[in-house]
Structure formats: C-alpha cells, structure tokens
Amino acid sequence: MDARPLLLEMRGIDKSFPGVKALDQVRFELRRGTVHALMGENGAGKSTLMKCLFGIYKKDAGTVKMNGKDINFTDPRDALDNGVAMVHQELNQVKRRNVMENMWLGRFPMKYGLVDHKKMYGDTKKFFDELEIHIDPRKIVGDLSVSSRQMIEIAKAVSYDAKILVLDEPTSSLTEEEVNHLFRIIKKLVERDVGVVYISHRMDEILRISNEITIMRDGKWVSTKPANEMKIGEIIRLMVNRDIDNFFPPKTNIPGEPMLECMGVSGRYMPSCQDVTFTLHKGEILGVAGLVGSRRTELLNTLFGTMTRARGEIKLRGTKIENRNAGESMKYGFALLTEERRATGIFPQASVSFNSIIASIDKYIKGIFLNENKVNGASDWVIQSLRVKTPGKKTLIRNLSGGNQQKVILGRWLLTDPEILLLDEPTRGIDVGAKYEIYQLIIDLAKQGKGIIMVSSEMTELLGICDNILVMSNGRLAGKVKRGVDFGGIQGEQETILTLAAKYV
C-alpha cells in the first residue's frame, strides 16, 4: 500500500433515506498527494458518501477525520472554508450570470462597499491562465457548452485552495482532448499535495489517473486496492458481482428502408447546425460524433423543434413534416432524451411515477382525473423493464442516483411508443452494468424497427453499437463513417472520425 500519510479517514459511515439504506458501515481513506478512484454501479452510494463528507447530507453514524482530527461539516460552506471542495456531476450554476460572478458567488471582492469587478475579472483570469482554461470571464454561463461549464466548476473548486477535491463524473461531457487537459490540472494539484477523490465509470481513465481504487456495491465497501494491481475485468466483477464478458451486446438489428430524410437542415439562431443532410433507415442506430462545439446537441434539438429551423426539409416515410415544436414532433412519433437530465429532463420535486408518465399523460386521464391503475401499471413497467433501483414509484426522483434518473426518463419516452428516438448522451454518468442494459434496450428497439439517432462523446460507445456514424464539425456535417467498412480496424475508424471532426474547426 501507498506509504504517503493519510489526509482523510472515513469509518463506519451509515446513511439512510426513507425506505432505503444508502450507506452501510462504509470506510474510505485518501492519502495526501494521490488520486483515489471511487467506483460502483449507480446507486452504490459513491456520491452519497462524498455528500456526507461535504456537509450536504448529515451522516447517521460513523467518524470522519482530516489530518487526524475529527471533522463534521454542517454545510458545504463549512467544508469549503476548511479545505474540502466538490465538483458535482449535475452542475449548479446561475446560468443568466457571467462566468466570473459564478466563480466568486457568495464571496465577491468588495471595494468601497461595492463589488470590485476589475479584481473579480483579474482573479478569475489568473486561475484560468494557471489551469489553461480559455474562457472569457465575462461570458454568460448559459451560453457555454456543458464541458466549458464543468471546467469553470473545477476552477472554482481550485480557487478555494482546497486540500481535498472531490470530482464526481468530471469527464462525462468532455472530449478526449479536454480529458487530457483535466488530467494535467489534476497532476498540478497532486504535486501540491492535494488529495483527489475521482468518481467515474470510465475504466480506462480510472486506471490511467488513479493511485488507489475503492469499489462500493449496494451501499457497502467491497474492496480497496492499488490501481496498478487491478484490471478492468476485476473492477467490473467487484462492481456488479458478476462477469461481463463483453462491453456491448451482440447487434441483432438489421437496418431497412429509409425512414427519416433530412435535407439541408439549418437552425435559425447561431450557434446551430448548418446544411445537414442525411438519411435514417428503419431499424438503424445512427451515431453522431464530433468535438465539443460541433453542434451535435443543436442538431437533435432542431430536428425535435426545441430549436427553430431556418431552412431545410424533414421527411418521415416520404411525407414532409415541419416539427415546429416539441408537441408537434411527438405527434409524429419523435422522442428526445436530453443531455442535461437535471436541467431539462427530470421534475425533481415529483415522484418516479409522475416522471414516468408525464410525456404521455393523456393516455391516463379518465374524465378530469388520472386513472391511478393505469398510472401505476405504466410506472411499474418502467421500473421493472429498465431495472430502476428505487424504494418505490412514489419516491421523489431527485433521491435516485443519476443513472436511475436517466432510466426513468428513457422509460418516459418509451411509454409514448416513439418511432424516432433522439438520444443525447444516453449513458452519461451511468455505470458499466447499467450501460450494458441500456445498449441492449437500444438494440432491441432498433430490432423492432425504431429509428435511433444517438449523440455520444464516447467513441468506443459509438463504434460499439451504431450501424453508421455521422461526424459533425463546427455545425456542419463533415462526413459519415459506415461501420463494417475496412478503415484498418477500430483504430482506423477512430482516426477517421477524429480527422473528420476537425475538418471545419
């Protein structure tokens, strides 16, 4: 084991929520100047454990020590003031304010009783330059990509001069280049004796960046080992308590006749997609690759009508359709799973049941009332079919793990019986076991004749389950990679995609 001194010790941590024991006698240690990966399936308790450390949740039992002294933070501000910072998987930012205001929210520099904007800009620029983050501090946060917003949160955490930094799924929206950038930042912090807790489902990243790995399952500690002594197969087995021979299910769908034709589709308001033309076939899984800023998400939103289309035609089975808004698109059998489930996906104050049926609520109305039997049947189907881990259908969806929230949202759209599924990062922040289940579901839906367009930042995911891959570059379609065509194997296909992705940059 690593001989460096302990920075953090958590022993016998318990935490329960109504109907579920989230943590059961969990232990965790973090050494100074190291990266300690925390892994487990969705609902294993990883984020809950760190939220107990950070003061978001109050633990029911157990002890926490930092540098050998007992600590018990009452709230996140208390944790930040004592050198513990956390970058959450779901970003909490004031989107209508600019970058530097979000950086220094609650601690604005003051001069003569007023906010010192000049100093705030200078301080922000200083941290951004140090971390090689090229974002204008005066930019409005809501106008930035998810990846840029994630980098701002990391810079904000560093600005607290934290000795412990918790990163919860920090690369879920980052490209490979941005992941390398993040790892350079982590290396700088580790050299300053900062201890980093790294929560991720990406195995290759874990083995590349970590010194130690702790695995949790069903709210319990399972194993802690040096990273260089572990292999991917062992990590998966410890996480899910079973072997997964392959990361992707066998493909059984066979694309058929043309289903959706898009000709010269362009968004009205920039930044957006421009002059995109492609065809989606019945039973086809069509991937969309590209760098951050390539307008992949904007393409899906333009097709679904949540972004205004300026020009171009959309034909469904040869018939021209408009898709001027989400309601109209749904009538034509379109469904959109959004990238940011917290901001645009879930209703956090509502139950799993409500979140399951809201997109098809008309089916469950009897007179002026909801038919409870039908609602219960539909929500039970979502929970059982997608294996949602929840105490019950009446549980608030905000109390579920991110991956289980994603399953509920996907189930919501499946209840609408869609013909065309637009999936934007469908496995973002989801563990390897749940990913496999979602991949199988996507393949099964394609086998039923559904047309699926899937955006993903994980190239291996696109190459693993898609039939063809569109490559976007700066809003334009740079090319198409047909799976099964010889590009020199998987490596050659990856190189082709990366070359196309940089075509118009």
Side-chain angles (χ1 to χ4, degrees), residues 77-342:
R77 185 58 196 242
D78 189 16
L80 288 165
D81 290 342
N82 285 278
V84 178
M86 183 172 179
V87 178
H88 302 274
Q89 179 182 348
E90 307 292 353
L91 302 175
N92 283 310
Q93 293 168 318
V94 186
K95 289 188 178 181
R96 295 188 178 182
R97 309 305 300 179
N98 65 31
V99 169
M100 60 185 185
E101 288 172 323
N102 273 272
M103 272 282 291
W104 304 100
L105 192 65
R107 50 186 181 139
F108 291 144
M110 306 297 289
K111 187 176 183 180
Y112 308 127
L114 300 172
V115 175
D116 189 341
H117 289 275
K118 184 177 179 181
K119 178 172 171 51
M120 185 160 57
Y121 176 88
D123 290 348
T124 305
K125 195 77 170 62
K126 172 191 163 190
F127 278 106
F128 281 11
D129 289 346
E130 180 186 351
L131 301 175
E132 300 174 32
I133 296 173
H134 306 296
I135 300 172
D136 183 351
R138 297 190 182 94
K139 273 265 190 184
I140 299 299
V141 164
D143 293 338
L144 299 173
S145 66
V146 177
S147 61
S148 293
R149 290 170 50 204
Q150 212 154 17
M151 297 306 286
I152 293 165
E153 284 300 288
I154 291 167
K156 181 178 179 179
V158 172
S159 74
Y160 278 96
D161 193 27
K163 295 304 175 189
I164 295 174
L165 176 61
V166 180
L167 299 176
D168 193 351
E169 292 290 349
T171 63
S172 58
S173 297
L174 304 187
T175 63
E176 188 172 346
E177 183 181 341
E178 289 167 327
V179 170
N180 290 333
H181 180 195
L182 174 63
F183 284 2
R184 289 196 298 272
I185 293 174
I186 291 173
K187 186 178 179 181
K188 286 182 181 180
L189 296 175
V190 166
E191 287 170 353
R192 300 176 194 168
D193 271 351
V194 174
V196 178
V197 182
Y198 194 91
I199 301 175
S200 177
H201 297 301
R202 295 186 174 181
M203 306 285 175
D204 54 339
E205 291 178 9
I206 289 292
L207 294 175
R208 179 178 157 198
I209 193 69
S210 305
N211 299 97
E212 293 181 279
I213 299 174
T214 287
I215 294 169
M216 295 177 63
R217 185 172 67 239
D218 298 328
K220 297 178 181 179
W221 175 89
V222 173
S223 173
T224 298
K225 289 185 179 181
N228 59 13
E229 294 180 9
M230 300 196 80
K231 294 183 179 179
I232 289 177
E234 182 185 5
I235 294 171
I236 293 172
R237 181 178 56 77
L238 289 169
M239 279 173 54
V240 303
N241 202 24
R242 66 184 188 277
D243 290 319
I244 294 182
D245 297 326
N246 298 296
F247 286 111
F248 304 103
K251 281 180 61 59
T252 53
N253 62 300
I254 302 173
E257 68 273 11
M259 187 178 192
L260 179 72
E261 297 171 87
C262 298
M263 293 155 285
V265 171
S266 300
R268 181 176 297 279
Y269 304 109
M270 295 299 290
S272 189
C273 57
Q274 296 297 313
D275 298 315
V276 177
T277 298
F278 67 90
T279 300
L280 173 70
H281 295 79
K282 182 178 179 180
E284 180 183 10
I285 304 170
L286 182 62
V288 185
L291 305 174
V292 169
S294 62
R295 316 294 180 238
R296 297 167 301 174
T297 293
E298 288 81 355
L299 173 62
L300 296 195
N301 281 309
T302 302
L303 295 178
F304 194 64
T306 44
M307 290 185 75
T308 306
R309 178 159 46 96
R311 60 184 180 274
E313 283 190 352
I314 301 175
K315 288 185 178 180
L316 181 62
R317 295 191 180 87
T319 301
K320 184 179 176 181
I321 60 174
E322 293 300 330
N323 282 15
R324 286 166 289 205
N325 53 57
E328 188 173 316
S329 299
M330 289 169 64
K331 287 179 182 177
Y332 285 117
F334 283 68
L336 172 64
L337 183 75
T338 59
E339 177 184 12
E340 292 191 76
R341 58 177 165 258
R342 182 169 182 173

Side-chain angles (χ1 to χ4, degrees), residues 400-418:
L400 270 56
S401 67
N404 284 299
Q405 291 176 5
Q406 189 82 322
K407 287 182 180 181
V408 173
I409 301 169
L410 185 55
R412 171 200 300 169
W413 286 113
L414 294 181
L415 287 174
T416 68
D417 193 23

Side-chain angles (χ1 to χ4, degrees), residues 1 56 82 153 184 213 221 238 292 300 308 323 325 364 426 444 451 455 466-467 470 473 476 495 504:
M1 275 292 186
I56 295 174
N82 285 278
E153 284 300 288
R184 289 196 298 272
I213 299 174
W221 175 89
L238 289 169
V292 169
L300 296 195
T308 306
N323 282 15
N325 53 57
Y364 312 105
D444 289 345
V455 167
C466 295
D467 301 295
L470 303 177
S473 178
R476 298 161 66 186
E495 290 173 3
Y504 300 120

Side-chain angles (χ1 to χ4, degrees), residues 5 13 29 36 105 114 146 159 206-207 216 260 264 348 365 392 412 424-425 440 485 487 497:
I13 307 298
E29 295 178 348
H36 195 137
L105 192 65
L114 300 172
V146 177
S159 74
I206 289 292
L207 294 175
M216 295 177 63
L260 179 72
I365 293 176
R412 171 200 300 169
D424 196 352
E425 303 284 3
Q440 185 65 68
V485 174
F487 286 90
I497 290 170

Side-chain angles (χ1 to χ4, degrees), residues 366-378:
K366 186 177 182 180
I368 60 171
F369 300 103
L370 280 174
N371 185 319
E372 285 295 325
N373 288 333
K374 284 188 175 182
V375 169
N376 289 335

